Amino acid sequence: MIDKQAREARRREQRAGVEALEASGALDELYSMIDAGQVRLDGKDGLIQQLIKAGLERGLQAELTGHLGYEKGDPEAGLFPNSRNGSSAKTVATSVGDVELAIPRDRDGSFTPLLVPKGSRRVGGLDDMIISLYAGGMTVRDIEHHLVSTIGTEVSRETISKITDEVLDEVLAWQQRPLESFYPVIYLDALIVKVRDGAHVRNKAAHLAVGVDMDGIKHVLGIWIQASEGARFWAGVCAHLANRGIQDVLIVCCDGLTGFPEAIEATWPESTVQTCVVHLIRSAMRFVNYKSRKAIAAALRPIYQAADEDAALAALAEFAASELGQANPNTVRVFQDAWDRFTPFLAFPPMLRRVIYTTNSIESLNFQLRKIIKNRGHFPSDEAAVKLLWLAICNIEDKRARDRLKERGRPRGAKRNAEGRLVEGQITTNWKQALAQLALAYPDRIQPYL
């Protein structure tokens, strides 16, 4: 309701402005020329482009006047040490197409315009448009074609690459930013991206870490690219996080990769390493035929929903002795091999179990990122992959924030379509209760940070 009222208010204000111009007669001649077909509103050399050209050139002339100290045509211009010296032509790309500008010059060459800086070939938010398109998953080639076909602006692939590369400094600063000394929970997982390596395109693992701080707020801690998802590289990731300030982590949730727990404990020896239950079930079902999947999934539920480890062990033994268990020995073996890393969460109450039993936070993020990168083919380098993944995360969160802003102020109970935060800045559900249970389980380690 409030959104509708705000839109109506904006429409009234815009209409009032137009009506004021119409009442003054300022638009009469323009309307006549439009009706006669002498003026086009959009497209190349249309009215919008001409207004941008006139506005920029007027602003440049005003800048030169301020620089010289006198108005154009001033009879006392000869008393000033510097003077106007014609203009030079320059084509700039804008969000509505290319515009030809006459850039004014001065006699001694000391004039440096701010409105259209020297060397700049783009104005009017075109850079932001290109970065937004890139973050949405479009390739450099796609962006080049899109700009030509929609707004008639020709921007070379090299220029587009340079524009997107300008965010690399921001990515590096984000990747190296200091972190808090203590995170109750950290999730670690990876997704596969295709990256050119010399003459070949290889599958590489993009490693992601998400931390939950003391306020229950989730943060993407970093993105790292490696040829494969290995325990040795994860050990390097943990060491990198420690070097940025993380001194202690209570619980690290990860998949069942061999050597993963040892890699984590090499950096944070007191941490509890929890194998992601969703990954474990996925591995256990890998060789199960389609007809038996539902039945086995139901039979496994008592194991990971057991009240404690003894009850879970009894449920596993019961499943192993059943007809389904005997027909699927691999399913039993997967749970047995992962038992020591699967059972830690069973020692906690239900509220805390929901926080630590799975890496679904990263899984949800990876699902959205895969939708963006699936049409790209491959990345030219590891840096390009990290850059896009970072931009994509920012773009997704910004879009969701805009959608939520549109629905702000709706009455309580009204239907809302905007999605919450994906990961960055998301508040963990029922965090206060989970934190209270963590404080009971780890009183000495968590108390200094409360």
Side-chain angles (χ1 to χ4, degrees):
M1 184 67 178
I2 293 179
D3 290 342
K4 185 177 180 180
Q5 292 175 349
R7 287 196 299 269
E8 291 176 351
R10 286 197 301 271
R11 289 170 184 160
R12 286 195 297 269
E13 292 174 359
Q14 293 168 356
R15 187 59 199 166
V18 172
E19 289 174 350
L21 286 172
E22 289 175 337
S24 69
L27 298 179
D28 292 346
E29 185 177 353
L30 177 61
Y31 285 159
S32 299
M33 295 175 69
I34 293 173
D35 293 339
Q38 298 174 350
V39 173
R40 290 186 300 110
L41 289 176
D42 57 1
K44 181 175 173 56
D45 299 325
L47 176 62
I48 296 175
Q49 277 195 0
Q50 295 304 313
L51 286 174
I52 291 175
K53 172 182 171 66
L56 289 174
E57 290 182 345
R58 180 176 180 180
L60 289 167
Q61 289 292 345
E63 282 191 47
L64 182 58
T65 295
H67 177 72
L68 298 176
Y70 66 90
E71 296 285 346
K72 186 175 182 178
D74 191 331
E76 297 182 354
L79 301 177
F80 291 84
N82 196 5
S83 62
R84 286 174 167 80
N85 188 30
S87 63
S88 58
K90 181 175 183 177
T91 302
V92 295
T94 74
S95 57
V96 295
D98 292 340
V99 174
E100 300 285 342
L101 296 178
I103 307 295
R105 299 180 300 192
D106 60 336
R107 183 69 61 183
D108 64 12
S110 60
F111 174 54
T112 303
L114 299 177
L115 191 59
V116 184
K118 288 185 178 180
S120 173
R121 292 289 176 180
R122 303 176 304 278
V123 297
L126 187 62
D127 286 17
D128 293 338
M129 179 188 295
I130 289 173
I131 290 175
S132 177
L133 293 172
Y134 187 84
M138 293 181 68
T139 65
V140 170
R141 188 189 298 270
D142 293 337
I143 295 172
E144 178 189 34
H145 175 72
H146 177 78
L147 295 177
V148 171
S149 60
T150 56
I151 62 176
T153 295
E154 294 188 13
V155 182
S156 68
R157 296 174 198 171
E158 292 76 13
T159 300
I160 294 172
S161 294
K162 288 179 181 178
I163 292 171
T164 58
D165 283 345
E166 289 174 1
V167 305
L168 282 176
D169 288 342
E170 293 182 55
V171 176
L172 182 61
W174 173 78
Q175 192 85 323
Q176 300 292 339
R177 74 194 189 281
L179 300 174
E180 297 183 19
S181 59
F182 177 74
Y183 285 85
V185 183
I186 285 181
Y187 308 98
L188 302 176
D189 201 2
L191 77 159
I192 300 301
V193 295
K194 295 182 181 296
V195 181
R196 177 166 291 280
D197 185 2
H200 303 280
V201 174
R202 305 186 187 279
N203 286 339
K204 292 191 174 184
H207 301 69
L208 288 91
V210 171
V212 181
D213 65 19
M214 284 294 291
D215 296 321
I217 300 174
K218 297 176 182 177
H219 304 276
V220 181
L221 305 179
I223 304 170
W224 302 266
I225 305 291
Q226 177 67 3
S228 61
E229 185 183 5
R232 181 178 298 179
F233 187 76
W234 275 118
V237 168
C238 293
H240 177 81
L241 293 173
N243 291 336
R244 287 166 56 193
I246 302 180
Q247 299 176 9
D248 191 16
V249 181
L250 294 182
I251 300 169
V252 180
C253 186
C254 58
D255 62 21
L257 183 69
T258 302
F260 208 156
E262 291 75 16
I264 295 168
E265 290 167 350
T267 301
W268 302 301
E270 295 184 348
S271 295
T272 298
V273 179
Q274 171 65 51
T275 293
C276 171
V277 176
V278 174
H279 278 86
L280 184 63
I281 295 172
R282 196 177 297 159
S283 297
M285 303 279 282
R286 182 170 298 163
F287 301 111
V288 176
N289 66 63
Y290 182 77
K291 291 182 179 179
S292 302
R293 281 181 171 268
K294 287 186 178 180
I296 289 185
L300 293 177
R301 196 170 295 122
I303 301 173
Y304 60 84
Q305 291 184 349
D308 52 34
E309 184 177 351
D310 292 338
L313 189 60
L316 179 61
E318 181 179 349
F319 172 76
S322 68
E323 183 178 344
L324 281 174
Q326 292 178 354
N328 296 275
N330 180 71
T331 300
V332 178
R333 183 187 58 78
V334 168
F335 270 87
Q336 289 174 340
D337 291 347
W339 193 256
D340 290 341
R341 301 299 180 180
F342 155 68
T343 54
F345 85 107
L346 295 175
F348 299 111
M351 201 65 70
L352 185 53
R353 288 188 187 187
R354 295 170 190 165
V355 176
I356 65 174
Y357 85 101
T358 179
T359 58
N360 268 359
S361 294
I362 297 185
E363 290 287 326
S364 300
L365 175 61
N366 287 350
F367 176 76
Q368 296 296 330
L369 295 179
R370 287 190 188 99
K371 291 198 297 185
I372 290 172
I373 65 177
K374 68 179 180 180
N375 295 324
R376 292 189 58 86
H378 66 271
F379 295 95
S381 65
D382 293 353
E383 292 75 14
V386 172
K387 176 179 67 176
L388 176 65
L389 293 174
W390 179 79
L391 282 172
I393 293 171
C394 296
N395 195 47
I396 291 169
E397 298 293 8
D398 288 347
K399 181 180 182 301
R400 292 188 173 202
R402 290 193 297 270
D403 292 341
R404 290 195 300 273
L405 184 62
K406 293 177 183 178
E407 296 184 352
R408 183 175 294 176
R410 287 190 178 183
R412 186 185 297 272
K415 183 179 178 181
R416 296 178 184 270
N417 298 316
E419 297 180 279
R421 295 178 183 270
L422 178 59
V423 170
E424 184 64 41
Q426 182 190 61
I427 299 178
T428 305
T429 305
N430 297 320
W431 176 248
K432 291 296 185 182
Q433 295 92 323
L435 184 61
Q437 293 165 2
L438 282 172
L440 292 174
Y442 303 95
D444 296 336
R445 292 168 61 192
I446 203 172
Q447 189 62 38
Y449 304 98
L450 288 176

